[in-house]
Amino acid sequence: MNKKLWFMLISLVIVSMIVTFSFFGCGQQPAAPVQEEAPAEEPVVEPEAEEPVAEEPAEPAAEEVVTLTYTSLRTEDVDRVNRINQVFMEQYPNIKIEFEPVKNTEYDAFLKTSLETGVGADIVMLRSYDGGRQIYDGGYLVELNEEIPNFNDFTPNSIGAWQTEDGVIYGVPYFGSITGVWYNKDIFADYGLEPPATWDQLLSAAQTLKENGEVAIAHGTNDQWVLTETLYCDLGPNFYGGEASRQALINREIKFTDPRFVKAYDALWQLVEYFPEGYQAIDYVTMQQMFCNEQAAMFIAGSWELGIIEDAGVNAGWFAPPVENEGDRLQYPFYADLALGVNKDSPYVEEALTYLKWIASAEHASLLANELPGMYPPLTIDFEISNPLSQQIMDMAKGDDVDTTGQLMWEKLSAQEPSGETLFNEACQKFFNGDITSQEAVELVQKGLDTWYFTE
């Protein structure tokens, strides 16, 4: 490097140093670096809290409608019972009742078979005493003592018809029946006849009707139950001693061969000549139709026929079973007839019990008594009967000279085989067909009962 270049380089360094010293030699502190103000932060705007969205109330799930099947032995009641059940279903819209009656002569076998095979109805109709007891003893029914709160509102006799010796109640009494005699007022008026009060008056009226070409009594022997329930146990009690004799028979104090029962057969035989021609082939429905079509003047039957007779437009009246002699106490058949129970295997026991609680109410009693006039809920509490004739039939049971009584063979005497009722049916049919005597009839029954009831 030549001297000139070195000189220039050194000069440049010196000049730089002078500048540097002169700059710092003034005592000035180096200016603090200017800090740029941080841009003002934009306020953070918190998002407004969202208003909670009110949830729409969920539509309540439609309550499941449970359908209960209800079987009965009264096919003639379909329309009336459905009207009664409609009132219940309006109050309990989650329960639907399907009424499925079976012909009465087929009902007992149907009920047992359906329950045995697990296809029985949820609600079942029960005959009183031994008939219903067999269903309970089969283990098919719910015990009701703790389920129905007002059993005390029923008459003790009606409760006893569906109660075990240990006090278990398995049926809610549905109605009681009265038996007597229906008569056509217009036909009676044509011949100047009055409703008979004594046996002789009855025979006299029947004779007058026969002599004038009328069928006096619409009765046949083709259906056995008719002969026991609506003939022997209807008009017979005034001859065999009514309730006192029934109790004596049940308590084994007398046998069915007692002369009082023979006497009743003999008295009733006097009516056969006033039955229609060919009466051996006439069944109950035919009897019913003859009276409703005004082809017969009298119909020995139950109060349960009132609705059917009125529907037919017959100008009908009713008289109690004529007593043997004027002044005798009237033995008036008024007995617990049918009850309702709950199938133990039903998938809807709770709903079925709800229905039975309603059946036990005064509201249902009034509905039943007016939709099915002549059927009497056995309640001690007040309920309305609007039909005057129905009220009259029941009021007859309240007389001072009246004893009420029941069916002869239904209580205890039909608990085993051969059942008293089956024997009684057979004996009555043979007797009223003229095949056996009254003495042979009572012996036929007693011989069967001796095998299991009168064993001591």
Side-chain angles (χ1 to χ4, degrees):
M1 181 177 301
N2 56 34
K3 291 181 179 180
K4 185 178 182 180
L5 184 58
W6 276 103
F7 177 79
M8 290 177 64
L9 181 59
I10 292 170
S11 298
L12 183 60
V13 170
I14 293 171
V15 169
S16 300
M17 290 176 66
I18 293 171
V19 170
T20 301
F21 282 120
S22 61
F23 188 82
F24 290 104
C26 296
Q28 295 181 4
Q29 298 296 322
V34 177
Q35 293 184 349
E36 296 183 355
E37 292 186 1
E41 293 183 359
E42 292 290 331
V44 177
V45 177
E46 296 289 340
E48 293 184 0
E50 294 183 356
E51 291 291 333
V53 178
E55 294 184 0
E56 291 291 332
E59 288 290 333
E63 197 166 0
E64 181 183 0
V65 175
V66 169
T67 299
L68 299 178
T69 53
Y70 163 15
T71 190
S72 157
L73 51 83
R74 292 187 53 81
T75 54
E76 59 270 52
D77 294 345
V78 171
D79 291 341
R80 291 181 172 87
V81 171
N82 282 340
R83 285 196 291 270
I84 294 172
N85 286 340
Q86 185 61 38
V87 176
F88 170 81
M89 290 188 287
E90 288 171 1
Q91 296 179 27
Y92 299 90
N94 63 317
I95 301 176
K96 180 181 179 183
I97 307 291
E98 290 190 349
F99 184 59
E100 299 175 348
V102 176
K103 188 177 179 183
N104 63 349
T105 54
E106 301 169 0
Y107 182 74
D108 295 334
F110 163 81
L111 180 60
K112 289 179 183 176
T113 301
S114 64
L115 292 171
E116 286 171 359
T117 55
V119 296
D122 303 294
I123 300 163
V124 298
M125 186 163 277
L126 302 171
R127 296 187 189 275
S128 57
Y129 298 110
D130 298 337
R133 180 61 182 270
Q134 290 175 15
I135 303 301
Y136 171 75
D137 287 345
Y140 303 119
L141 299 176
V142 173
E143 296 179 357
L144 301 175
N145 299 59
E146 304 300 324
E147 308 295 345
I148 308 297
N150 64 323
F151 273 133
N152 288 337
D153 291 340
F154 289 86
T155 62
N157 286 343
S158 68
I159 292 295
W162 294 279
Q163 185 177 37
T164 70
E165 295 78 5
D166 299 331
V168 176
I169 302 172
Y170 49 87
V172 173
Y174 186 58
F175 72 80
S177 294
I178 298 173
T179 53
V181 183
W182 294 100
Y183 71 99
N184 186 309
K185 289 183 175 180
D186 295 335
I187 297 177
F188 266 50
D190 286 344
Y191 304 105
L193 300 174
E194 295 291 332
T198 67
W199 192 252
D200 286 343
Q201 291 171 1
L202 173 62
L203 295 177
S204 176
Q207 183 64 29
T208 298
L209 292 163
K210 182 179 179 180
E211 290 174 351
N212 285 279
E214 302 283 356
V215 174
I217 303 172
H219 217 288
T221 60
N222 193 47
D223 283 337
Q224 292 183 337
W225 73 270
V226 174
L227 301 171
T228 53
E229 188 170 341
T230 71
L231 185 57
Y232 193 97
C233 291
D234 184 346
L235 304 187
N238 283 325
F239 292 92
Y240 64 69
E243 185 63 12
S245 294
R246 191 182 81 90
Q247 291 296 330
L249 183 65
I250 291 171
N251 294 324
R252 303 185 179 88
E253 296 166 0
I254 61 173
K255 290 192 172 186
F256 196 58
T257 47
D258 187 278
R260 286 169 280 190
F261 297 114
V262 177
K263 179 182 178 181
Y265 270 113
D266 291 339
L268 294 171
W269 179 255
Q270 295 176 290
L271 300 179
V272 173
E273 66 173 296
Y274 305 112
F275 290 175
E277 186 176 352
Y279 70 89
Q280 297 90 342
I282 292 177
D283 61 13
Y284 185 73
V285 173
T286 304
M287 295 161 49
Q288 188 183 61
Q289 291 173 342
M290 289 184 70
F291 186 75
C292 288
N293 292 329
E294 303 191 78
Q295 296 171 329
M298 289 183 277
F299 180 27
I300 306 169
S303 55
W304 60 79
E305 294 290 348
L306 176 53
I308 294 171
I309 290 171
E310 289 190 335
D311 286 350
V314 179
N315 184 19
W318 167 276
F319 60 87
V323 296
E324 183 179 7
N325 300 299
E326 188 173 356
D328 288 351
R329 290 185 65 80
L330 168 62
Q331 303 300 313
Y332 197 37
F334 188 179
Y335 50 91
D337 200 342
L338 297 169
L340 298 183
V342 173
N343 179 357
K344 200 173 184 178
D345 292 332
S346 166
Y348 307 118
V349 167
E350 183 179 347
E351 288 80 3
L353 289 172
T354 298
Y355 182 69
L356 258 60
K357 290 174 186 172
W358 185 73
I359 290 292
S361 70
E363 178 188 22
H364 174 264
S366 295
L367 289 167
L368 179 70
N370 294 311
E371 279 286 357
L372 294 161
M375 299 181 185
Y376 303 102
L379 287 165
T380 57
I381 56 177
D382 292 336
F383 60 91
E384 176 192 357
I385 297 179
S386 60
N387 187 298
L389 183 51
S390 178
Q391 186 69 57
Q392 176 190 340
I393 293 169
M394 192 171 77
D395 287 346
M396 288 182 184
K398 300 176 182 176
D400 293 336
D401 57 350
V402 178
D403 298 323
T404 59
T405 186
Q407 296 289 318
L408 264 180
M409 297 290 167
W410 288 7
E411 185 174 1
K412 296 185 179 180
L413 298 169
S414 294
Q416 295 184 32
E417 297 294 338
S419 88
E421 186 67 6
T422 300
L423 296 164
F424 193 26
N425 284 340
E426 179 185 354
C428 280
Q429 189 173 52
K430 288 181 176 179
F431 173 76
F432 288 110
N433 282 345
D435 298 329
I436 60 176
T437 66
S438 54
Q439 185 63 38
E440 290 170 330
V442 296
E443 289 175 355
L444 187 158
V445 175
Q446 189 59 49
K447 183 178 179 181
L449 292 176
D450 282 342
T451 63
W452 64 274
Y453 195 75
F454 291 89
T455 55
E456 296 178 358

